[in-house]
Amino acid sequence: MNVFAAAMDRIFANPSMAVAALWISAATSDERPMRVIRRAPDRITEFGAARFVSDTTMVDVRLSDLSDPRPGDLIVIGTDSFTIQGEPTRDRERLIWSLDLRPT
């Protein structure tokens, strides 16, 4: 394990940084518990001369916890359910998925 992967494991284990979540496959209904880091960046969308700012919900999850997320899969965090929208992206080291979510 490289140093960066070990650091990511510590970050995802920290209760101040990551929370427990459940992934549910849209295709097979398989379930897998995991830990995620929640983010809520503003997204700016331009339409002609106008710019719209909207809230987003994103999570980061380790590839070791979730190898193949797909659009339409469900992520449950506490009592909140979200659907993965768009294609998941990986970081440069290929250790972390970034998932764009929408409330279900």
Short mmCIF file of all heavy atoms in Angstrom, two decimals, residues 39-104:
data_model
loop_
_atom_site.label_atom_id
_atom_site.label_comp_id
_atom_site.label_asym_id
_atom_site.label_seq_id
_atom_site.Cartn_x
_atom_site.Cartn_y
_atom_site.Cartn_z
N ARG A 39 -19.85 16.25 0.25
CA ARG A 39 -19.50 17.61 -0.17
C ARG A 39 -20.75 18.24 -0.76
O ARG A 39 -21.62 17.55 -1.27
CB ARG A 39 -18.40 17.58 -1.23
CG ARG A 39 -17.12 16.98 -0.73
CD ARG A 39 -15.99 17.03 -1.75
NE ARG A 39 -16.23 16.10 -2.86
CZ ARG A 39 -16.18 16.42 -4.14
NH1 ARG A 39 -15.95 17.66 -4.53
NH2 ARG A 39 -16.39 15.51 -5.08
N ALA A 40 -20.83 19.55 -0.68
CA ALA A 40 -21.98 20.27 -1.24
C ALA A 40 -21.51 21.55 -1.93
O ALA A 40 -21.82 22.66 -1.50
CB ALA A 40 -23.00 20.59 -0.14
N PRO A 41 -20.75 21.41 -3.02
CA PRO A 41 -20.26 22.61 -3.72
C PRO A 41 -21.38 23.28 -4.52
O PRO A 41 -22.32 22.62 -4.95
CB PRO A 41 -19.19 22.05 -4.65
CG PRO A 41 -19.63 20.65 -4.92
CD PRO A 41 -20.28 20.18 -3.64
N ASP A 42 -21.27 24.59 -4.67
CA ASP A 42 -22.18 25.30 -5.56
C ASP A 42 -21.77 25.02 -7.00
O ASP A 42 -20.59 24.91 -7.31
CB ASP A 42 -22.13 26.81 -5.33
CG ASP A 42 -22.80 27.21 -4.03
OD1 ASP A 42 -23.61 26.43 -3.50
OD2 ASP A 42 -22.50 28.32 -3.55
N ARG A 43 -22.75 24.89 -7.87
CA ARG A 43 -22.48 24.69 -9.30
C ARG A 43 -23.00 25.91 -10.05
O ARG A 43 -24.15 26.31 -9.85
CB ARG A 43 -23.15 23.43 -9.80
CG ARG A 43 -22.91 23.20 -11.29
CD ARG A 43 -23.40 21.86 -11.76
NE ARG A 43 -22.55 20.85 -11.15
CZ ARG A 43 -22.96 19.63 -10.82
NH1 ARG A 43 -24.21 19.29 -11.01
NH2 ARG A 43 -22.14 18.76 -10.29
N ILE A 44 -22.17 26.46 -10.92
CA ILE A 44 -22.57 27.62 -11.72
C ILE A 44 -22.88 27.13 -13.13
O ILE A 44 -22.06 26.47 -13.77
CB ILE A 44 -21.46 28.68 -11.76
CG1 ILE A 44 -21.21 29.21 -10.34
CG2 ILE A 44 -21.83 29.81 -12.72
CD1 ILE A 44 -20.05 30.15 -10.23
N THR A 45 -24.10 27.45 -13.59
CA THR A 45 -24.54 27.09 -14.93
C THR A 45 -24.81 28.37 -15.70
O THR A 45 -25.51 29.25 -15.19
CB THR A 45 -25.82 26.23 -14.86
OG1 THR A 45 -25.59 25.11 -14.01
CG2 THR A 45 -26.23 25.76 -16.24
N GLU A 46 -24.26 28.46 -16.89
CA GLU A 46 -24.49 29.65 -17.71
C GLU A 46 -25.54 29.34 -18.77
O GLU A 46 -25.54 28.27 -19.37
CB GLU A 46 -23.19 30.09 -18.34
CG GLU A 46 -22.18 30.54 -17.30
CD GLU A 46 -20.94 31.15 -17.91
OE1 GLU A 46 -20.97 31.53 -19.10
OE2 GLU A 46 -19.94 31.24 -17.18
N PHE A 47 -26.44 30.30 -18.95
CA PHE A 47 -27.47 30.19 -19.98
C PHE A 47 -27.56 31.56 -20.64
O PHE A 47 -28.11 32.50 -20.05
CB PHE A 47 -28.80 29.79 -19.36
CG PHE A 47 -29.90 29.59 -20.36
CD1 PHE A 47 -29.92 28.46 -21.17
CD2 PHE A 47 -30.89 30.54 -20.51
CE1 PHE A 47 -30.93 28.28 -22.10
CE2 PHE A 47 -31.90 30.37 -21.44
CZ PHE A 47 -31.93 29.24 -22.23
N GLY A 48 -26.99 31.67 -21.83
CA GLY A 48 -26.92 32.98 -22.47
C GLY A 48 -26.05 33.91 -21.62
O GLY A 48 -24.94 33.57 -21.26
N ALA A 49 -26.61 35.09 -21.29
CA ALA A 49 -25.87 36.03 -20.46
C ALA A 49 -26.11 35.80 -18.97
O ALA A 49 -25.49 36.45 -18.13
CB ALA A 49 -26.28 37.46 -20.83
N ALA A 50 -27.00 34.89 -18.63
CA ALA A 50 -27.34 34.64 -17.22
C ALA A 50 -26.46 33.55 -16.63
O ALA A 50 -25.99 32.65 -17.33
CB ALA A 50 -28.80 34.23 -17.11
N ARG A 51 -26.24 33.65 -15.33
CA ARG A 51 -25.51 32.62 -14.59
C ARG A 51 -26.38 32.20 -13.41
O ARG A 51 -26.88 33.02 -12.66
CB ARG A 51 -24.19 33.17 -14.06
CG ARG A 51 -23.19 33.44 -15.15
CD ARG A 51 -21.95 34.07 -14.62
NE ARG A 51 -21.45 33.35 -13.46
CZ ARG A 51 -20.21 33.33 -13.07
NH1 ARG A 51 -19.32 34.02 -13.72
NH2 ARG A 51 -19.84 32.67 -12.01
N PHE A 52 -26.56 30.89 -13.27
CA PHE A 52 -27.37 30.35 -12.19
C PHE A 52 -26.48 29.57 -11.24
O PHE A 52 -25.65 28.78 -11.66
CB PHE A 52 -28.45 29.41 -12.75
CG PHE A 52 -29.38 30.08 -13.73
CD1 PHE A 52 -29.14 30.00 -15.09
CD2 PHE A 52 -30.46 30.80 -13.28
CE1 PHE A 52 -29.98 30.63 -15.99
CE2 PHE A 52 -31.32 31.43 -14.16
CZ PHE A 52 -31.08 31.34 -15.52
N VAL A 53 -26.67 29.79 -9.95
CA VAL A 53 -25.94 29.06 -8.93
C VAL A 53 -26.91 28.07 -8.30
O VAL A 53 -28.01 28.44 -7.87
CB VAL A 53 -25.38 30.00 -7.85
CG1 VAL A 53 -24.67 29.21 -6.77
CG2 VAL A 53 -24.43 31.01 -8.48
N SER A 54 -26.52 26.80 -8.27
CA SER A 54 -27.39 25.78 -7.68
C SER A 54 -26.59 24.94 -6.70
O SER A 54 -25.38 24.77 -6.83
CB SER A 54 -28.01 24.90 -8.76
OG SER A 54 -27.01 24.30 -9.54
N ASP A 55 -27.29 24.41 -5.70
CA ASP A 55 -26.69 23.51 -4.73
C ASP A 55 -26.47 22.15 -5.38
O ASP A 55 -27.23 21.73 -6.25
CB ASP A 55 -27.59 23.31 -3.51
CG ASP A 55 -27.82 24.59 -2.74
OD1 ASP A 55 -26.96 25.48 -2.81
OD2 ASP A 55 -28.84 24.70 -2.06
N THR A 56 -25.44 21.45 -4.94
CA THR A 56 -25.21 20.09 -5.39
C THR A 56 -24.90 19.22 -4.18
O THR A 56 -24.56 19.72 -3.12
CB THR A 56 -24.04 19.98 -6.38
OG1 THR A 56 -22.84 20.36 -5.70
CG2 THR A 56 -24.24 20.86 -7.59
N THR A 57 -25.01 17.94 -4.36
CA THR A 57 -24.59 16.97 -3.34
C THR A 57 -23.65 16.00 -4.02
O THR A 57 -24.00 15.39 -5.03
CB THR A 57 -25.79 16.22 -2.75
OG1 THR A 57 -26.69 17.15 -2.16
CG2 THR A 57 -25.32 15.22 -1.71
N MET A 58 -22.46 15.88 -3.47
CA MET A 58 -21.47 14.95 -4.00
C MET A 58 -20.89 14.15 -2.85
O MET A 58 -20.90 14.62 -1.71
CB MET A 58 -20.37 15.70 -4.74
CG MET A 58 -20.89 16.49 -5.93
SD MET A 58 -19.59 17.08 -6.99
CE MET A 58 -19.02 15.57 -7.72
N VAL A 59 -20.41 12.96 -3.16
CA VAL A 59 -19.70 12.16 -2.16
C VAL A 59 -18.44 11.61 -2.81
O VAL A 59 -18.39 11.39 -4.01
CB VAL A 59 -20.54 11.00 -1.58
CG1 VAL A 59 -21.71 11.53 -0.79
CG2 VAL A 59 -20.98 10.03 -2.64
N ASP A 60 -17.44 11.42 -1.97
CA ASP A 60 -16.23 10.71 -2.36
C ASP A 60 -16.26 9.36 -1.67
O ASP A 60 -16.60 9.28 -0.49
CB ASP A 60 -14.98 11.48 -1.95
CG ASP A 60 -14.82 12.78 -2.71
OD1 ASP A 60 -15.31 12.87 -3.85
OD2 ASP A 60 -14.18 13.70 -2.18
N VAL A 61 -15.90 8.31 -2.39
CA VAL A 61 -15.88 6.95 -1.84
C VAL A 61 -14.64 6.23 -2.37
O VAL A 61 -14.24 6.45 -3.51
CB VAL A 61 -17.19 6.18 -2.18
CG1 VAL A 61 -17.39 6.05 -3.66
CG2 VAL A 61 -17.24 4.85 -1.51
N ARG A 62 -14.04 5.42 -1.54
CA ARG A 62 -12.84 4.68 -1.95
C ARG A 62 -13.19 3.59 -2.96
O ARG A 62 -14.22 2.92 -2.84
CB ARG A 62 -12.17 4.03 -0.74
CG ARG A 62 -11.59 5.03 0.21
CD ARG A 62 -11.01 4.34 1.40
NE ARG A 62 -12.11 3.71 2.14
CZ ARG A 62 -11.96 3.08 3.29
NH1 ARG A 62 -10.78 2.98 3.84
NH2 ARG A 62 -12.98 2.55 3.90
N LEU A 63 -12.34 3.39 -3.96
CA LEU A 63 -12.53 2.31 -4.91
C LEU A 63 -12.50 0.96 -4.21
O LEU A 63 -13.16 0.03 -4.65
CB LEU A 63 -11.45 2.34 -5.99
CG LEU A 63 -11.84 3.03 -7.30
CD1 LEU A 63 -11.83 4.52 -7.17
CD2 LEU A 63 -10.96 2.57 -8.41
N SER A 64 -11.77 0.86 -3.12
CA SER A 64 -11.72 -0.41 -2.38
C SER A 64 -13.06 -0.73 -1.74
O SER A 64 -13.36 -1.89 -1.47
CB SER A 64 -10.62 -0.36 -1.31
OG SER A 64 -10.86 0.68 -0.38
N ASP A 65 -13.91 0.28 -1.52
CA ASP A 65 -15.25 0.06 -0.97
C ASP A 65 -16.30 -0.14 -2.06
O ASP A 65 -17.31 -0.81 -1.84
CB ASP A 65 -15.68 1.25 -0.10
CG ASP A 65 -14.98 1.30 1.24
OD1 ASP A 65 -14.40 0.28 1.65
OD2 ASP A 65 -15.01 2.37 1.87
N LEU A 66 -16.09 0.49 -3.21
CA LEU A 66 -17.08 0.45 -4.28
C LEU A 66 -16.35 0.45 -5.62
O LEU A 66 -15.87 1.48 -6.07
CB LEU A 66 -18.01 1.67 -4.17
CG LEU A 66 -19.18 1.74 -5.13
CD1 LEU A 66 -20.09 0.53 -4.98
CD2 LEU A 66 -19.96 3.02 -4.89
N SER A 67 -16.27 -0.71 -6.24
CA SER A 67 -15.42 -0.84 -7.43
C SER A 67 -16.06 -0.31 -8.71
O SER A 67 -15.35 0.13 -9.61
CB SER A 67 -15.02 -2.29 -7.63
OG SER A 67 -16.17 -3.09 -7.82
N ASP A 68 -17.40 -0.35 -8.82
CA ASP A 68 -18.02 -0.02 -10.10
C ASP A 68 -19.37 0.68 -9.92
O ASP A 68 -20.41 0.11 -10.25
CB ASP A 68 -18.18 -1.30 -10.92
CG ASP A 68 -18.49 -1.02 -12.37
OD1 ASP A 68 -18.16 0.08 -12.86
OD2 ASP A 68 -19.07 -1.90 -13.03
N PRO A 69 -19.38 1.93 -9.42
CA PRO A 69 -20.66 2.64 -9.31
C PRO A 69 -21.20 3.01 -10.68
O PRO A 69 -20.43 3.25 -11.61
CB PRO A 69 -20.31 3.88 -8.50
CG PRO A 69 -18.87 4.12 -8.79
CD PRO A 69 -18.26 2.76 -9.00
N ARG A 70 -22.52 3.04 -10.80
CA ARG A 70 -23.18 3.34 -12.07
C ARG A 70 -24.26 4.40 -11.86
O ARG A 70 -24.89 4.45 -10.80
CB ARG A 70 -23.85 2.09 -12.63
CG ARG A 70 -22.93 0.96 -12.91
CD ARG A 70 -22.34 1.15 -14.25
NE ARG A 70 -21.50 -0.01 -14.57
CZ ARG A 70 -20.55 0.05 -15.44
NH1 ARG A 70 -20.31 1.16 -16.07
NH2 ARG A 70 -19.81 -1.01 -15.70
N PRO A 71 -24.52 5.23 -12.88
CA PRO A 71 -25.66 6.13 -12.78
C PRO A 71 -26.94 5.33 -12.51
O PRO A 71 -27.13 4.26 -13.07
CB PRO A 71 -25.71 6.80 -14.16
CG PRO A 71 -24.30 6.69 -14.67
CD PRO A 71 -23.78 5.38 -14.12
N GLY A 72 -27.76 5.82 -11.60
CA GLY A 72 -28.99 5.15 -11.23
C GLY A 72 -28.87 4.35 -9.95
O GLY A 72 -29.88 4.03 -9.32
N ASP A 73 -27.63 4.02 -9.53
CA ASP A 73 -27.44 3.33 -8.26
C ASP A 73 -27.87 4.26 -7.12
O ASP A 73 -27.86 5.48 -7.26
CB ASP A 73 -25.98 2.94 -8.05
CG ASP A 73 -25.53 1.81 -8.96
OD1 ASP A 73 -26.38 1.22 -9.65
OD2 ASP A 73 -24.31 1.53 -8.97
N LEU A 74 -28.22 3.67 -6.00
CA LEU A 74 -28.73 4.41 -4.85
C LEU A 74 -27.65 4.48 -3.77
O LEU A 74 -26.97 3.49 -3.51
CB LEU A 74 -29.97 3.71 -4.31
CG LEU A 74 -30.86 4.46 -3.35
CD1 LEU A 74 -31.49 5.66 -4.03
CD2 LEU A 74 -31.93 3.53 -2.82
N ILE A 75 -27.51 5.64 -3.15
CA ILE A 75 -26.64 5.84 -1.99
C ILE A 75 -27.54 6.31 -0.85
O ILE A 75 -28.25 7.32 -0.98
CB ILE A 75 -25.55 6.90 -2.25
CG1 ILE A 75 -24.71 6.55 -3.47
CG2 ILE A 75 -24.70 7.12 -1.00
CD1 ILE A 75 -23.76 5.40 -3.29
N VAL A 76 -27.52 5.60 0.27
CA VAL A 76 -28.32 5.95 1.44
C VAL A 76 -27.37 6.40 2.54
O VAL A 76 -26.45 5.66 2.92
CB VAL A 76 -29.18 4.76 1.92
CG1 VAL A 76 -30.00 5.15 3.13
CG2 VAL A 76 -30.08 4.26 0.79
N ILE A 77 -27.60 7.61 3.03
CA ILE A 77 -26.80 8.18 4.12
C ILE A 77 -27.77 8.55 5.23
O ILE A 77 -28.56 9.48 5.08
CB ILE A 77 -26.01 9.41 3.66
CG1 ILE A 77 -25.12 9.07 2.47
CG2 ILE A 77 -25.18 9.96 4.82
CD1 ILE A 77 -24.47 10.27 1.80
N GLY A 78 -27.73 7.80 6.32
CA GLY A 78 -28.70 8.02 7.39
C GLY A 78 -30.10 7.74 6.87
O GLY A 78 -30.38 6.66 6.37
N THR A 79 -30.97 8.75 6.95
CA THR A 79 -32.34 8.59 6.44
C THR A 79 -32.52 9.22 5.05
O THR A 79 -33.62 9.22 4.51
CB THR A 79 -33.35 9.23 7.41
OG1 THR A 79 -33.04 10.62 7.55
CG2 THR A 79 -33.31 8.55 8.76
N ASP A 80 -31.43 9.74 4.46
CA ASP A 80 -31.49 10.40 3.16
C ASP A 80 -31.06 9.44 2.06
O ASP A 80 -30.06 8.74 2.18
CB ASP A 80 -30.57 11.62 3.13
CG ASP A 80 -30.97 12.67 4.14
OD1 ASP A 80 -32.18 12.84 4.40
OD2 ASP A 80 -30.06 13.34 4.69
N SER A 81 -31.84 9.41 0.97
CA SER A 81 -31.53 8.57 -0.18
C SER A 81 -31.19 9.45 -1.38
O SER A 81 -31.86 10.46 -1.63
CB SER A 81 -32.71 7.69 -0.55
OG SER A 81 -32.99 6.78 0.49
N PHE A 82 -30.17 9.04 -2.11
CA PHE A 82 -29.71 9.78 -3.28
C PHE A 82 -29.48 8.81 -4.43
O PHE A 82 -29.11 7.67 -4.23
CB PHE A 82 -28.39 10.50 -2.99
CG PHE A 82 -28.46 11.46 -1.83
CD1 PHE A 82 -28.12 11.03 -0.56
CD2 PHE A 82 -28.85 12.77 -2.02
CE1 PHE A 82 -28.17 11.90 0.52
CE2 PHE A 82 -28.90 13.64 -0.95
CZ PHE A 82 -28.56 13.20 0.32
N THR A 83 -29.67 9.32 -5.65
CA THR A 83 -29.39 8.55 -6.86
C THR A 83 -28.15 9.12 -7.51
O THR A 83 -28.00 10.35 -7.62
CB THR A 83 -30.58 8.62 -7.83
OG1 THR A 83 -31.74 8.12 -7.17
CG2 THR A 83 -30.32 7.81 -9.09
N ILE A 84 -27.25 8.25 -7.96
CA ILE A 84 -26.07 8.70 -8.68
C ILE A 84 -26.52 9.22 -10.04
O ILE A 84 -27.22 8.53 -10.77
CB ILE A 84 -25.05 7.56 -8.86
CG1 ILE A 84 -24.56 7.07 -7.50
CG2 ILE A 84 -23.87 8.03 -9.73
CD1 ILE A 84 -23.67 5.84 -7.58
N GLN A 85 -26.11 10.44 -10.37
CA GLN A 85 -26.43 11.00 -11.68
C GLN A 85 -25.13 11.31 -12.40
O GLN A 85 -24.15 11.70 -11.79
CB GLN A 85 -27.31 12.24 -11.57
CG GLN A 85 -26.68 13.40 -10.85
CD GLN A 85 -27.63 14.58 -10.76
OE1 GLN A 85 -28.76 14.54 -11.23
NE2 GLN A 85 -27.17 15.66 -10.15
N GLY A 86 -25.11 11.11 -13.69
CA GLY A 86 -23.89 11.34 -14.45
C GLY A 86 -22.88 10.23 -14.20
O GLY A 86 -23.09 9.33 -13.40
N GLU A 87 -21.78 10.29 -14.91
CA GLU A 87 -20.75 9.27 -14.80
C GLU A 87 -19.84 9.55 -13.62
O GLU A 87 -19.36 10.68 -13.46
CB GLU A 87 -19.90 9.20 -16.08
CG GLU A 87 -20.63 8.59 -17.25
CD GLU A 87 -21.03 7.15 -17.02
OE1 GLU A 87 -20.24 6.39 -16.41
OE2 GLU A 87 -22.12 6.77 -17.45
N PRO A 88 -19.58 8.56 -12.77
CA PRO A 88 -18.62 8.74 -11.68
C PRO A 88 -17.22 9.00 -12.23
O PRO A 88 -16.87 8.51 -13.30
CB PRO A 88 -18.66 7.39 -10.96
CG PRO A 88 -19.99 6.80 -11.32
CD PRO A 88 -20.25 7.27 -12.72
N THR A 89 -16.44 9.79 -11.50
CA THR A 89 -15.07 10.08 -11.92
C THR A 89 -14.11 9.67 -10.81
O THR A 89 -14.45 9.68 -9.64
CB THR A 89 -14.89 11.59 -12.23
OG1 THR A 89 -15.24 12.35 -11.08
CG2 THR A 89 -15.75 12.01 -13.41
N ARG A 90 -12.88 9.32 -11.23
CA ARG A 90 -11.85 8.91 -10.27
C ARG A 90 -10.78 9.98 -10.15
O ARG A 90 -10.58 10.78 -11.07
CB ARG A 90 -11.20 7.60 -10.72
CG ARG A 90 -12.14 6.42 -10.67
CD ARG A 90 -11.46 5.18 -11.13
NE ARG A 90 -11.22 5.28 -12.57
CZ ARG A 90 -10.63 4.35 -13.29
NH1 ARG A 90 -10.18 3.26 -12.73
NH2 ARG A 90 -10.47 4.51 -14.58
N ASP A 91 -10.08 9.95 -9.01
CA ASP A 91 -8.97 10.87 -8.80
C ASP A 91 -7.75 10.40 -9.59
O ASP A 91 -7.75 9.34 -10.20
CB ASP A 91 -8.66 11.01 -7.32
CG ASP A 91 -8.06 9.75 -6.72
OD1 ASP A 91 -8.41 8.64 -7.18
OD2 ASP A 91 -7.24 9.86 -5.80
N ARG A 92 -6.70 11.19 -9.54
CA ARG A 92 -5.49 10.90 -10.31
C ARG A 92 -4.85 9.57 -9.93
O ARG A 92 -4.35 8.84 -10.78
CB ARG A 92 -4.49 12.04 -10.13
CG ARG A 92 -3.26 11.92 -11.00
CD ARG A 92 -2.33 13.03 -10.78
NE ARG A 92 -1.65 12.76 -9.51
CZ ARG A 92 -0.75 13.53 -8.97
NH1 ARG A 92 -0.43 14.66 -9.55
NH2 ARG A 92 -0.17 13.21 -7.84
N GLU A 93 -4.86 9.24 -8.64
CA GLU A 93 -4.25 8.00 -8.17
C GLU A 93 -5.16 6.78 -8.34
O GLU A 93 -4.80 5.68 -8.01
CB GLU A 93 -3.84 8.13 -6.70
CG GLU A 93 -2.59 8.97 -6.48
CD GLU A 93 -2.89 10.46 -6.60
OE1 GLU A 93 -4.06 10.86 -6.41
OE2 GLU A 93 -1.96 11.21 -6.90
N ARG A 94 -6.39 7.00 -8.81
CA ARG A 94 -7.37 5.93 -9.00
C ARG A 94 -7.73 5.24 -7.69
O ARG A 94 -7.91 4.03 -7.63
CB ARG A 94 -6.89 4.91 -10.03
CG ARG A 94 -6.53 5.49 -11.38
CD ARG A 94 -7.78 6.04 -12.04
NE ARG A 94 -7.57 6.35 -13.44
CZ ARG A 94 -7.74 7.57 -13.93
NH1 ARG A 94 -8.07 8.56 -13.16
NH2 ARG A 94 -7.58 7.80 -15.21
N LEU A 95 -7.86 6.04 -6.62
CA LEU A 95 -8.22 5.52 -5.30
C LEU A 95 -9.61 5.95 -4.86
O LEU A 95 -10.23 5.29 -4.04
CB LEU A 95 -7.21 5.98 -4.24
CG LEU A 95 -5.77 5.51 -4.42
CD1 LEU A 95 -4.87 6.20 -3.40
CD2 LEU A 95 -5.69 4.00 -4.30
N ILE A 96 -10.10 7.06 -5.39
CA ILE A 96 -11.35 7.67 -4.92
C ILE A 96 -12.30 7.94 -6.08
O ILE A 96 -11.90 8.50 -7.11
CB ILE A 96 -11.06 9.02 -4.20
CG1 ILE A 96 -10.01 8.86 -3.11
CG2 ILE A 96 -12.34 9.66 -3.69
CD1 ILE A 96 -10.45 8.02 -1.96
N TRP A 97 -13.55 7.53 -5.93
CA TRP A 97 -14.63 7.91 -6.84
C TRP A 97 -15.25 9.21 -6.34
O TRP A 97 -15.49 9.36 -5.15
CB TRP A 97 -15.73 6.87 -6.87
CG TRP A 97 -15.46 5.61 -7.60
CD1 TRP A 97 -15.31 4.38 -7.05
CD2 TRP A 97 -15.38 5.43 -9.02
NE1 TRP A 97 -15.12 3.45 -8.04
CE2 TRP A 97 -15.15 4.06 -9.24
CE3 TRP A 97 -15.45 6.30 -10.10
CZ2 TRP A 97 -15.00 3.55 -10.54
CZ3 TRP A 97 -15.31 5.78 -11.37
CH2 TRP A 97 -15.09 4.43 -11.59
N SER A 98 -15.60 10.11 -7.23
CA SER A 98 -16.45 11.26 -6.93
C SER A 98 -17.78 11.01 -7.60
O SER A 98 -17.85 10.78 -8.81
CB SER A 98 -15.85 12.56 -7.43
OG SER A 98 -14.72 12.90 -6.68
N LEU A 99 -18.85 11.03 -6.80
CA LEU A 99 -20.18 10.73 -7.29
C LEU A 99 -21.08 11.96 -7.15
O LEU A 99 -21.17 12.54 -6.08
CB LEU A 99 -20.80 9.57 -6.50
CG LEU A 99 -19.96 8.30 -6.36
CD1 LEU A 99 -20.67 7.30 -5.47
CD2 LEU A 99 -19.67 7.71 -7.73
N ASP A 100 -21.73 12.33 -8.23
CA ASP A 100 -22.69 13.43 -8.23
C ASP A 100 -24.05 12.81 -7.91
O ASP A 100 -24.49 11.88 -8.59
CB ASP A 100 -22.70 14.11 -9.60
CG ASP A 100 -23.53 15.37 -9.65
OD1 ASP A 100 -24.01 15.81 -8.58
OD2 ASP A 100 -23.71 15.91 -10.75
N LEU A 101 -24.72 13.34 -6.88
CA LEU A 101 -25.98 12.75 -6.41
C LEU A 101 -27.13 13.72 -6.56
O LEU A 101 -26.96 14.93 -6.53
CB LEU A 101 -25.85 12.36 -4.93
CG LEU A 101 -24.68 11.46 -4.54
CD1 LEU A 101 -24.69 11.22 -3.04
CD2 LEU A 101 -24.73 10.15 -5.30
N ARG A 102 -28.31 13.14 -6.66
CA ARG A 102 -29.55 13.93 -6.58
C ARG A 102 -30.47 13.25 -5.58
O ARG A 102 -30.48 12.01 -5.47
CB ARG A 102 -30.23 14.08 -7.93
CG ARG A 102 -30.73 12.82 -8.54
CD ARG A 102 -31.46 13.09 -9.86
NE ARG A 102 -31.63 11.88 -10.62
CZ ARG A 102 -32.56 10.94 -10.36
NH1 ARG A 102 -33.39 11.10 -9.38
NH2 ARG A 102 -32.62 9.86 -11.12
N PRO A 103 -31.24 14.02 -4.83
CA PRO A 103 -32.15 13.40 -3.85
C PRO A 103 -33.16 12.48 -4.54
O PRO A 103 -33.61 12.75 -5.65
CB PRO A 103 -32.87 14.59 -3.21
CG PRO A 103 -32.02 15.77 -3.50
CD PRO A 103 -31.33 15.48 -4.80
N THR A 104 -33.49 11.40 -3.88
CA THR A 104 -34.45 10.44 -4.43
C THR A 104 -35.82 10.69 -3.81
O THR A 104 -35.94 10.98 -2.68
CB THR A 104 -34.01 9.01 -4.14
OG1 THR A 104 -32.72 8.84 -4.73
CG2 THR A 104 -34.95 8.01 -4.71
#
